[in-house]
């Protein structure tokens, strides 16, 4: 047996029980955990070419997996000016003014991460930024990546001078006189401006992706459930994989948009299983609604502006039929459903699909930001995975309900924010992720947010819904055993066991006993993917 990697003097953490295994070392062969035992026995398996690492008491967990992220589009969207640290309108203006001074005449200004809460009680529109963007073509992506602000010059270059009609839920927001305010809701509207802005070359996009994936590995991630396959995504994964440069194991779900015809649906079904050594196409991603912050979620009652009353699919019954066809073909689905009506409809669609008696297909619902009590038990009853991003609650809402998300919903629905605890107690499999680039991807921050539910920029502030916090073990399970179950891989992933994948995350201390507020700063000493180190701290 060839043993390319041996780890010694380790504390091996079982994410099922939360206890340490009696073993202190492990050996890897053919990308799998080949042996567990004491240091002496495992060291004896090492050969002349084996990499032997003394972990000096560090803690080994199964590799952490982000249950929802967008590597390729995220790498593209997060270039330019990072506005995510701006907390008020003045700080946004200052950041934009500094960037404008650096721009060449006529150059576009790209920004991302803009929080609509900076506008306070003012409408979210480009007029508030006009003094610093006079004559500058600017495209500023809001934090939800479902909406953007375009400057007057950008709209002019794109030829957007009034409302538009789209085949899916999207809007060029206009004032009473029919003039665009600069706010663009959903992809179809944003693309009107994006397509006239300068685009990076293919080589630049691939390089950005490679850099991003390496940073994810250094943060402790060994895998991710990639919720898109747009553009060159699959080609990039294949190229990096073939070159031995793919540092994450990726499970990719292509999109199925409203209006997809029979041929398009057949292509999605036929494409399942395509991939390489470290990536594969598995599942289909659908959207049932947009976001609460921009008024495009699907709620059972309108928000305070009378918005969020429609599904993303103009005909929700067409969505139900697509779920049924994918289910009959054995294809798992992942549905973006944020509002209560969207979640309920997605559950109804799965229940209808399961009427054929087939229960082995693992469907998922993504985000689940606000739901009533009567939906909770249905997740476990139907076997639907609850894929959630608690850091969105931490960083984009406030305990006192003064944020845009909470004000739109009102007290009753805002009190049902990100019900991780209730879904867990109801028997659902809760998978955790970041939805990067919407929120930061470091997995220890995601685990911490699930536990403390406080704003990561100011941990002294009160938590939003502390009764919905997960225990340290439940949070860890959300990125290990539960992520494996969501992917149908519990037989080979998510645990430290002989025969399981050698995807490992090594931490300086026990993540279960490290205080939640300290967890994001816990050093990641080693990340191993398929038995190969993708990150190694200089202390090892």
């Amino acid at each position: 047996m060839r043993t390319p990697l041996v780890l010694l003097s380790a504390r091996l953490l079982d994410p099922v029980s939360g206890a340490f295994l009696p073993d202190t070392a492990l050996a890897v062969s053919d990308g799998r955990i080949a042996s567990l035992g004491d240091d002496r026995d495992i060291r004896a398996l090492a050969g002349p070419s084996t990499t032997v690492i003394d972990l000096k008491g560090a803690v080994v967990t199964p590799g952490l997996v982000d249950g929802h992220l967008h590597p390729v589009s995220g790498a593209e969207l997060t270039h330019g000016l990072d506005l995510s640290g701006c907390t008020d309108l003045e700080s946004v203006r200052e950041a934009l003014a500094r960037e404008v001074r650096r721009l060449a005449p006529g150059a576009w200004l790209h920004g991302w991460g803009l929080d609509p809460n900076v506008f306070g009680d003012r409408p979210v529109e480009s007029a508030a930024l006009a003094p610093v963007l006079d004559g500058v073509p600017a495209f500023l992506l809001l934090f939800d990546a479902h909406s953007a602000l375009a400057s007057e010059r950008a709209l002019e270059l794109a030829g957007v001078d009034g409302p538009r009609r789209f085949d899916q839920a999207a809007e060029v927001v206009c004032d009473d006189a029919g003039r665009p305010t600069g706010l663009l809701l959903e992809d179809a509207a944003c693309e009107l401006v994006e397509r006239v802005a300068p685009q990076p070359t293919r080589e630049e996009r691939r390089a950005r992706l490679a850099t991003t994936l390496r940073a994810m590995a250094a943060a402790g991630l060994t895998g991710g459930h990639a919720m898109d396959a747009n553009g060159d995504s699959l080609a990039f994964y294949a190229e990096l994989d073939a070159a031995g440069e793919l540092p994450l194991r990726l499970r990719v779900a292509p999109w199925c948009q409203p209006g997809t015809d029979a041929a398009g649906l057949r292509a999605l079904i036929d494409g399942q299983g395509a991939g390489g050594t470290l990536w594969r196409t598995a599942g289909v991603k659908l959207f049932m609604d947009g976001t609460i912050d921009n008024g495009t979620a699907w709620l059972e009652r309108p928000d305070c502006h009378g918005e969020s009353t429609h599904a993303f699919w103009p005909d929700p019954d067409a969505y139900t039929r697509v779920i049924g066809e994918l289910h009959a073909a054995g294809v798992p689905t992942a549905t973006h459903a944020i509002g209560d009506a969207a979640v309920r409809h997605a559950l109804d669609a799965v229940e209808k699909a399961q009427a054929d008696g087939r229960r082995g297909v693992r469907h998922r619902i993504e985000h689940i930001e606000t739901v009533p009590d009567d939906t909770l038990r249905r997740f476990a009853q139907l076997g639907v995975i609850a894929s959630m991003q608690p850091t969105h609650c931490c960083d984009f809402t406030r305990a006192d309900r003064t944020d845009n998300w909470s004000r739109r919903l009102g007290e009753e629905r805002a009190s049902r924010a990100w019900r991780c605890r209730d879904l867990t107690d109801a028997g659902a499999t809760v998978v955790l992720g970041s939805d990067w680039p919407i929120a930061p991807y470091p997995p220890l921050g995601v685990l911490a947010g699930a536990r403390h539910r406080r704003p990561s920029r100011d941990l002294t502030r009160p938590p939003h819904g502390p009764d919905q916090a997960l225990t340290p073990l439940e949070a860890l399970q959300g990125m290990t055993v539960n992520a494996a179950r969501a992917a149908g891989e519990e037989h080979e992933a998510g645990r430290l066991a002989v025969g399981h994948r050698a995807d490992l995350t090594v931490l300086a201390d026990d993540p279960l006993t490290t205080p939640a507020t300290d967890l994001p700063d816990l050093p990641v000493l080693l990340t191993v993917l398929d038995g190969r180190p993708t990150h190694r701290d200089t202390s090892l």
Side-chain angles (χ1 to χ4, degrees):
M1 179 180 70
R2 193 176 72 86
T3 306
L5 179 66
V6 160
L7 303 181
L8 304 173
S9 302
R11 289 185 285 165
L12 306 179
L13 182 59
D14 175 20
V16 176
S17 65
F20 288 109
L21 300 178
D23 308 294
T24 60
L26 64 81
V28 170
S29 178
D30 296 324
R32 303 274 171 165
I33 298 174
S35 301
L36 296 169
D38 61 28
D39 283 16
R40 180 176 177 178
D41 290 343
I42 298 300
R43 186 187 292 274
L45 300 175
S49 62
T50 301
T51 298
V52 179
I53 302 178
D54 183 346
L55 295 182
K56 306 169 187 175
V59 174
V60 180
T61 73
L64 299 179
V65 175
D66 191 312
H68 187 124
L69 78 174
H70 303 271
V72 175
S73 59
E76 295 173 4
L77 294 175
T78 56
H79 76 283
L81 181 63
D82 181 359
L83 296 168
S84 62
C86 298
T87 57
D88 56 38
L89 201 52
E90 188 56 37
S91 62
V92 172
R93 289 169 175 157
E94 291 173 359
L96 291 173
R98 288 193 298 270
E99 189 71 7
V100 167
R101 288 194 291 270
R102 288 194 287 265
L103 288 176
W108 279 70
L109 190 159
H110 292 270
W112 60 279
L114 180 61
D115 186 344
N117 286 304
V118 303
F119 292 88
D121 294 328
R122 299 180 55 156
V124 180
E125 56 186 22
S126 57
L129 308 174
V132 293
L133 294 178
D134 184 27
V136 177
F139 183 83
L140 310 177
L141 193 70
L142 271 67
F143 82 85
D144 62 7
H146 282 251
S147 49
L149 272 181
S151 68
E152 183 177 352
R153 178 58 176 158
L155 292 171
E156 179 184 352
L157 291 173
V160 178
D161 56 7
R164 297 288 180 93
R165 185 179 297 276
F166 302 97
D167 293 333
Q168 55 191 245
E171 182 182 0
V172 174
V173 178
C174 296
D175 61 20
D176 294 340
R179 295 184 297 264
T181 67
L183 182 60
L184 307 169
L185 303 181
E186 299 299 333
D187 286 350
C190 292
E191 287 171 1
L192 297 174
V193 174
E194 286 181 292
R195 66 192 181 199
V196 301
Q199 301 298 317
T201 66
R202 188 181 190 280
E203 292 71 23
E204 289 171 335
R205 292 170 54 235
R206 175 179 156 168
R208 286 177 186 169
L209 172 63
T211 299
T212 297
L213 292 174
R214 287 194 297 269
M216 288 180 173
L221 282 174
T222 64
H225 298 170
M227 291 296 167
D228 61 64
N230 303 325
D232 294 319
S233 295
L234 300 186
F236 284 157
Y237 297 147
E239 291 168 19
L240 293 173
D241 192 25
E245 298 173 1
L246 189 59
L248 261 67
R249 191 184 301 276
L250 296 172
R251 182 177 189 269
V252 187
W255 287 0
C256 179
Q257 296 276 31
T260 299
D261 60 15
L265 196 59
R266 173 47 55 185
L268 287 169
I269 294 170
D270 291 344
Q272 297 296 302
T277 302
L278 293 171
W279 71 278
R280 67 185 175 95
T281 302
V284 168
K285 169 77 179 296
L286 305 96
F287 292 81
M288 201 65 250
D289 65 352
T291 69
I292 288 167
D293 276 289
N294 69 20
T296 58
W298 187 18
L299 299 172
E300 294 180 335
R301 303 190 315 276
D303 66 16
C304 69
H305 298 300
E307 298 177 335
S308 284
T309 58
H310 303 289
F312 183 74
W313 285 61
D315 178 7
D317 288 340
Y319 161 88
T320 300
R321 290 192 294 272
V322 167
I323 292 292
E325 292 185 48
L326 292 170
H327 177 85
V331 178
T333 63
T335 296
H336 167 122
I338 280 178
D340 44 20
V343 174
R344 189 182 302 281
H345 190 90
L347 290 169
D348 289 345
V350 171
E351 184 171 21
K352 185 173 182 178
Q354 291 178 350
D356 67 1
R358 182 171 184 168
R359 291 282 304 230
V361 184
R362 292 183 186 171
H363 301 286
R364 307 161 50 129
I365 297 181
E366 311 295 317
H367 309 309
I368 317 168
E369 293 187 5
T370 178
V371 288
D373 292 345
D374 66 343
T375 61
L376 298 174
R377 287 188 297 276
R378 298 185 68 196
F379 281 83
Q381 291 167 351
L382 298 172
V384 173
I385 306 297
S387 174
M388 306 185 73
Q389 300 79 43
T391 46
H392 295 194
C393 181
C394 296
D395 290 341
F396 305 127
T397 70
R398 300 169 187 157
D400 62 5
R401 314 278 202 271
T402 59
D403 59 278
N404 180 59
W405 185 94
S406 299
R407 285 186 288 122
R408 276 184 173 269
L409 285 177
E411 180 65 26
E412 177 192 353
R413 289 180 293 190
S415 68
R416 303 194 298 245
W418 287 269
R419 300 180 72 173
C420 299
R421 164 88 278 127
D422 290 342
L423 280 161
T424 298
D425 289 347
T429 297
V430 175
V431 174
L432 301 181
S434 64
D435 196 15
W436 187 81
I438 310 306
Y441 57 71
L444 295 182
V446 174
L447 298 179
R451 291 165 53 182
H452 63 58
R453 295 176 68 97
R454 297 174 183 271
S456 59
R457 290 191 291 263
D458 185 358
L459 293 170
T460 65
R461 292 172 59 185
H464 186 165
D467 58 314
Q468 294 301 322
L470 297 179
T471 67
L473 181 58
E474 289 167 341
L476 180 63
Q477 290 170 343
M479 302 191 83
T480 53
V481 290
N482 291 0
R485 174 170 173 73
E489 298 172 345
E490 62 267 35
H491 63 288
E492 62 177 351
R495 297 186 63 186
L496 300 177
V498 173
H500 275 48
R501 292 173 179 160
D503 296 352
L504 311 167
T505 302
V506 181
L507 306 171
D509 207 346
D510 184 356
L512 302 185
T513 58
T514 300
T517 52
D518 295 336
L519 189 58
D521 297 321
L522 185 64
V524 177
L525 301 181
L526 182 70
T527 311
V528 176
L529 175 66
D530 204 40
R532 173 177 56 91
T534 54
H535 162 72
R536 184 173 178 177
D537 188 79
T538 56
S539 65
L540 294 180

